[in-house]
């Protein structure tokens, strides 16, 4: 069954996300303003600059619409900047327009090893992730955030070394890396499963 | 590994005729180190020395001599200025790079890239055998990667990472700033990155003299002030300035015609760096030559510091026009089209695969108002650089915010009308036709 997935399309790698969804046999469309369409089965917050995407989310009113949708069980996937926007706790100055739901602490640009937010493009890397179901895949980390202190109810889906880099909380998925630059992989199959389940239950009341 | 020795080994292994076309071969497949292996498998002794090679995938059965003559036959044909083929001065420049430099850089790349599978959607090439390389066997162990488990080595500075950073800037505005205060204004107004400079282009124009890389302390001051990426400009061909910027931790380097060129013939070999580069272009030929040299992002040159968008429009239209020709061309016309544009055929194939320029394309040079920015987006750019336009206007913060909004909602005239009002005076601007030929920055670096 094909489901329709909205990709927040103000800034960043939303084009790559749309192409990837198409390749995985799902219909993606750019989402730039509220209210959310009735048949929306999932939403993707792409990589980019969290301050800029958050700014546009707040200004367009999409932030509030998405927060309401997510509280009603709408599945969401946040990659890199998108993960920063979905995190409940944040180190350093917080961007506008966040949808702080997933209970963990995110540190921006934190792979530099030095002071907070000291990560630069030099510290960007590609590495192998181990997924909790035993698979492994490649992950592309570009000025990536670091995930810390996942609370009760958060499943660590993948790690790079000891570091959690992909998390699931209820219907929300966050990743510090960019599956859209790398053909999707396990994260997208989990996310699309959640979307299909949500899409087929659209008739029943959406309460998380 | 010591690159000079490796080069010497390679030199010995091949007759002079093959050496001559090495740079040509590299220019045809700049992003595919595997091609180098295909042409020139590592000699046994270097493999034993622990050179980073473990090979998987199909083993080539085509005899060596046959392969090499194929290469010769194919590529000597399209080498300009030889075999009766006429090449323009531009094409000539492109191919007159020294064997030494290209070979060294191939090695630099091999060392850095463990495994060379192109990223999805970034010009993966099915014709090249899948080969995974890593330096895990430098210690005598084999590469731990298998068909199911990828090689665990961490890679930095790959093409995927470099082009990926550029992709994260799409739909954004990159602003020129000259101090920490301006950088903070730019960030809070919604800039996607800042360009750290000593002086904005319009001031550089007035000041005259030699324009160079910004002072390191200024770049560091700006980097401290913001969390968004920081870019900086290096002079065309000045690879040492670029190395300094890389060492400073700059996120992206602009090899820019706005600064006085350090080399009037040769651009920086951008494959040799682990930070991405952005380069200016006036037409498709310039754009693809820069991409072949390793640029991860392309921008129009426009005419910087004039506040006049006419040249940027001319350049983006020229790129689009040539691109339409490339996309519509018959397969067999490609080689002559490549000759005409002065670019490697492989780059034209990449364009056809992507249906557009294979990397992110921004607009730059003369953008001063939200309407200018939206115009460039409507013409097909992925984002804009605003140089002098913001901080020489009367109300930089509001103008910056307006341009950010305009880029995100470029196809909604009602939003554009709203954000264009109440933002004060734009920079004065210059009629480009009144510039003396030597004042035109866009002529630099073709």
């Amino acid at each position: 069954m094909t489901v329709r997935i909205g990709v927040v399309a103000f800034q960043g790698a939303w084009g790559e996300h749309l192409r990837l969804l198409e390749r995985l046999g799902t219909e993606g469309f750019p989402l730039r303003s509220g209210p959310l369409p009735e048949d929306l089965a999932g939403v993707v917050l792409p990589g980019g600059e969290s301050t800029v995407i958050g700014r546009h989310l707040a200004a367009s009113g999409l932030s509030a619409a998405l927060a309401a949708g997510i509280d009603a069980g709408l599945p969401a996937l946040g990659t890199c900047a998108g993960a920063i926007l979905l995190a409940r706790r944040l180190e350093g100055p917080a961007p506008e327009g966040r949808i702080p739901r997933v209970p963990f602490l995110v540190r921006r640009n934190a792979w530099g090893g030095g002071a907070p937010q000291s990560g630069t493009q030099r510290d960007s890397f590609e590495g192998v992730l181990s997924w909790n179901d035993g698979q492994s895949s490649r992950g592309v980390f570009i000025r990536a955030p670091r995930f810390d202190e996942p609370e009760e109810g958060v499943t660590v889906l993948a790690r790079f070394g000891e570091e959690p880099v992909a998390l699931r909380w209820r219907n929300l998925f966050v990743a510090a890396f960019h599956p859209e630059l790398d053909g999707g992989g396990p994260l997208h199959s989990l996310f699309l499963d959640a979307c299909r389940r949500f899409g087929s239950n659209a008739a029943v009341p959406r309460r998380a | 590994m010591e690159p000079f020795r490796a080069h010497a080994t390679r030199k010995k292994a091949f007759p002079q005729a093959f050496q001559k076309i090495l740079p040509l071969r590299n220019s045809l497949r700049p992003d595919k180190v595997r091609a180098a292996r295909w042409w020139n498998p590592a000699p046994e002794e270097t493999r034993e020395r622990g050179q980073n090679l473990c090979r998987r995938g199909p083993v080539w059965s085509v005899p060596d001599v046959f392969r090499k003559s194929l290469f010769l036959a194919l590529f000597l044909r399209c080498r300009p200025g030889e075999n009766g083929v006429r090449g323009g001065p531009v094409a000539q420049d492109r191919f007159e790079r020294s064997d030494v430099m290209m070979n060294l850089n191939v090695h630099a790349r091999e060392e850095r890239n463990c495994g060379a599978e192109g990223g999805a959607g970034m010009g993966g090439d099915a014709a090249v055998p899948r080969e995974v390389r890593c330096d895990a066997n430098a210690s005598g162990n084999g590469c731990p990667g298998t068909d199911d488990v990828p090689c665990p080595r961490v890679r930095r500075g790959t093409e995927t990472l470099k082009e990926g950073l550029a992709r994260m800037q799409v739909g954004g505005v990159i602003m020129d700033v000259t101090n920490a205060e301006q950088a903070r204004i730019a960030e809070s107004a919604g800039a996607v990155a800042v360009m750290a400079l000593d002086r904005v282009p319009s001031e550089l124009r007035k000041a005259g003299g030699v324009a160079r890389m910004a002072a390191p302390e200024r770049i560091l001051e700006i980097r401290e002030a913001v969390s968004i990426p920081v870019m900086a400009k290096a002079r065309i061909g000045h690879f040492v300035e670029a190395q300094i910027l890389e060492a400073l931790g700059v996120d992206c380097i602009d090899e820019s015609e706005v600064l006085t060129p350090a080399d009037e013939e040769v651009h920086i070999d951008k494959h040799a760096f682990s930070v991405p580069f952005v380069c200016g272009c006036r037409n498709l030929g310039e754009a693809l030559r820069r991409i072949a040299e390793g640029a991860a992002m392309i921008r129009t040159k426009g005419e910087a510091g004039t506040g006049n968008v006419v040249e940027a429009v001319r350049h983006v239209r020229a790129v689009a026009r040539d691109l339409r020709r490339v996309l519509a061309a018959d397969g067999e016309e490609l080689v002559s089209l490549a000759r005409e544009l002065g670019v490697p055929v492989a780059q034209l194939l990449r364009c056809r695969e992507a249906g557009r320029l294979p990397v992110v394309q921004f607009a730059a040079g003369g953008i001063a108002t939200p309407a200018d920015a939206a115009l460039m987006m409507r013409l097909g750019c992925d984002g804009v650089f605003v140089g002098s336009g913001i901080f020489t206007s009367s109300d930089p913060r509001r103008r910056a915010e307006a341009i950010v909004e305009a880029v995100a909602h470029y196809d909604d005239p009602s939003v554009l009308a709203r954000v264009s009002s109440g933002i004060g005076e734009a920079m004065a601007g210059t009629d480009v036709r009144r510039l003396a030929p030597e004042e035109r920055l866009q002529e630099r670096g073709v």
Side-chain angles (χ1 to χ4, degrees):
Chain A
M1 174 190 141
T2 325
V3 287
R4 294 189 79 218
I5 294 175
V7 179
V8 173
F10 296 111
Q11 193 272 316
W14 55 271
E16 279 72 19
H17 268 293
L18 286 178
R19 270 196 290 281
L20 176 58
L21 289 174
E22 192 189 316
R23 206 163 60 230
L24 296 173
T26 319
E27 192 192 335
F29 65 97
L31 199 58
R32 291 198 183 89
S33 59
L36 304 180
E38 269 302 302
D39 57 348
L40 186 70
V43 62
V44 176
L45 290 147
E49 285 304 318
S50 55
T51 48
V52 183
I53 299 175
R55 205 188 145 77
H56 290 307
L57 277 175
S60 64
L62 199 54
S63 181
L66 283 179
I70 283 171
D71 289 340
L74 179 72
L77 167 66
T79 60
C80 199
I84 294 171
L85 294 169
L86 287 174
R88 199 173 282 179
R89 287 178 301 131
L90 185 83
E91 192 182 72
E96 292 175 71
R98 288 166 62 219
I99 308 163
R101 292 294 182 276
V102 187
F104 73 106
L105 174 71
V106 72
R107 302 180 207 276
R108 281 191 282 172
N109 306 343
W111 292 91
Q117 296 189 29
S118 64
T120 69
Q121 177 65 9
R122 265 190 311 189
D123 306 304
S124 296
F125 64 96
E126 292 176 53
V128 171
L129 318 175
S130 26
W131 293 80
N132 60 1
D133 59 1
Q135 294 186 66
S136 55
S137 74
R138 197 169 68 134
V140 179
F141 294 78
I142 298 172
R143 289 170 47 89
R146 240 171 152 134
F147 295 172
D148 224 338
E149 302 168 22
E151 286 168 25
E152 187 89 13
V154 176
T155 318
V156 177
L157 294 175
R159 289 176 190 275
F160 173 73
E162 292 301 303
E163 293 275 341
V165 292
L167 307 176
R168 175 181 192 159
W169 182 76
R170 300 186 187 170
N171 263 348
L172 306 185
F173 300 80
V174 291
F177 54 94
H178 290 281
E180 74 272 22
L181 297 183
D182 211 25
L187 188 64
H188 269 76
S189 45
L190 289 169
F191 172 62
L192 292 181
D193 272 353
C195 293
R196 282 190 203 103
R197 230 172 299 128
F198 182 78
S200 58
N201 291 340
V204 301
R206 298 176 177 184
R207 276 287 147 215
Chain B
M1 196 184 68
E2 215 277 323
F4 283 94
R5 281 196 45 202
H7 172 242
T9 324
R10 181 169 295 192
K11 252 253 94 81
K12 238 192 300 174
F14 290 98
Q16 209 52 40
F18 294 152
Q19 288 299 327
K20 265 198 107 170
I21 68 158
L22 278 178
L24 190 61
R25 176 209 68 209
N26 291 335
S27 73
L28 284 164
R29 276 252 162 74
D31 49 343
K32 293 285 174 286
V33 182
R34 287 166 296 180
R37 288 290 172 210
W38 188 70
W39 162 261
N40 181 17
E44 282 312 312
E45 70 272 27
T46 53
R47 231 181 274 192
E48 276 166 25
R49 273 213 326 264
Q51 204 198 25
N52 39 4
L53 184 85
C54 42
R55 184 191 270 258
R56 291 192 284 123
V59 175
W60 286 91
S61 56
V62 192
D64 239 19
V65 178
F66 179 63
R67 262 195 277 154
K68 283 167 187 172
S69 48
L70 241 176
F71 252 107
L72 276 172
L74 258 172
F75 297 148
L76 281 181
R77 262 185 65 117
C78 53
R79 178 167 184 167
E82 274 194 20
N83 299 355
V85 179
R86 279 189 46 195
V90 167
Q92 206 65 37
D93 281 353
R94 173 68 198 108
F95 293 118
E96 275 178 2
R97 312 189 51 184
S98 77
D99 290 3
V100 178
M101 189 166 160
M102 291 308 282
N103 269 332
L104 287 180
N105 292 338
V106 165
H107 273 279
R109 258 170 283 156
E110 279 170 11
E111 278 192 293
R112 203 172 50 238
N113 294 10
C114 161
E117 272 166 273
M122 295 208 183
D125 188 344
V128 181
R130 199 164 72 91
E131 184 184 326
V132 176
R133 209 175 292 117
C134 79
D135 50 14
N137 58 348
S139 55
N141 305 319
C143 171
T146 67
D147 277 333
D148 301 319
V149 184
C151 169
R153 209 179 124 67
V154 171
R155 291 179 252 161
R156 293 181 197 276
T158 62
E159 303 295 325
T160 308
L161 290 169
K162 293 199 275 183
E163 290 179 9
L165 180 84
R167 268 151 219 267
M168 296 307 138
Q169 314 284 307
V170 169
V173 183
I174 300 171
M175 302 182 191
D176 280 5
V177 298
T178 56
N179 57 44
E181 176 56 29
Q182 291 185 353
R184 273 188 286 267
I185 292 175
E187 184 179 35
S188 71
V192 80
V194 290
M195 177 77 70
L197 291 169
D198 277 334
R199 276 180 286 211
V200 294
S202 64
E203 293 165 353
L204 287 172
R205 246 177 217 292
K206 275 187 218 135
V210 176
R212 308 184 179 88
M213 172 186 88
E217 57 270 26
R218 190 179 299 271
I219 295 169
L220 290 177
E221 171 200 332
I222 289 167
R223 221 192 75 189
E224 288 300 306
V226 295
S227 70
I228 53 179
V230 175
M231 304 186 172
K233 288 186 196 290
R235 284 182 265 175
I236 291 173
H238 205 317
F239 54 87
V240 174
E241 277 190 354
Q243 286 170 338
I244 293 171
L245 294 175
E246 186 179 34
L248 287 171
V250 162
D251 294 296
C252 179
I253 299 173
D254 184 1
E255 185 182 17
S256 178
E257 71 283 356
V258 172
L259 306 182
T260 312
D263 190 326
E264 296 198 325
E265 271 112 46
V266 181
H267 280 68
I268 297 171
D269 185 356
K270 295 165 271 288
H271 289 294
F273 287 79
S274 62
V275 282
F277 275 73
V278 53
C279 287
C281 73
R282 291 181 302 174
N283 50 48
L284 187 64
E286 289 185 14
L288 293 181
R289 282 192 292 280
R290 298 297 88 79
I291 294 170
E293 291 157 3
M297 184 178 184
I298 286 294
R299 58 172 174 78
T300 60
K301 282 180 175 169
E303 193 55 46
T306 59
N308 189 340
V309 80
V310 63
E311 293 299 305
V313 169
R314 191 193 314 282
H315 299 162
V316 75
R317 281 202 186 275
V319 170
R321 193 162 44 234
D322 283 343
L323 209 46
R324 280 195 297 272
R325 283 174 65 206
V326 171
L327 298 181
D330 232 12
E332 53 205 7
E333 292 170 345
L334 276 186
V335 172
S336 65
L337 205 50
R339 188 184 67 197
E340 183 192 325
L341 295 170
V343 300
V345 183
Q347 293 298 337
L348 297 187
L349 293 173
R350 273 188 86 187
C351 288
R352 283 161 75 98
E353 201 181 311
R356 50 158 290 163
L357 267 190
V359 301
V360 171
Q361 182 192 16
F362 269 50
I367 292 154
T369 67
D372 289 349
L375 173 67
M376 298 313 291
M377 296 297 286
R378 287 290 293 271
L379 290 173
C381 292
D382 295 314
V384 300
F385 284 86
V386 187
S388 322
I390 289 173
F391 289 100
T392 56
S393 72
S394 63
D395 189 346
R397 183 184 297 273
R398 295 182 65 183
R399 181 161 295 266
E401 286 173 353
I403 292 177
V404 169
E405 282 290 303
V407 167
H409 301 280
Y410 65 91
D411 52 358
D412 187 344
S414 62
V415 175
L416 298 178
R418 176 169 55 77
V419 301
S420 297
S421 42
I423 53 174
E425 285 282 309
M427 70 182 283
T430 317
D431 185 346
V432 178
R433 282 171 300 184
R434 283 172 202 266
L435 293 177
E438 65 273 15
E439 291 175 326
R440 286 163 64 90
L441 303 178
Q442 58 177 285
E443 314 291 341
R444 298 165 167 181
V446 294

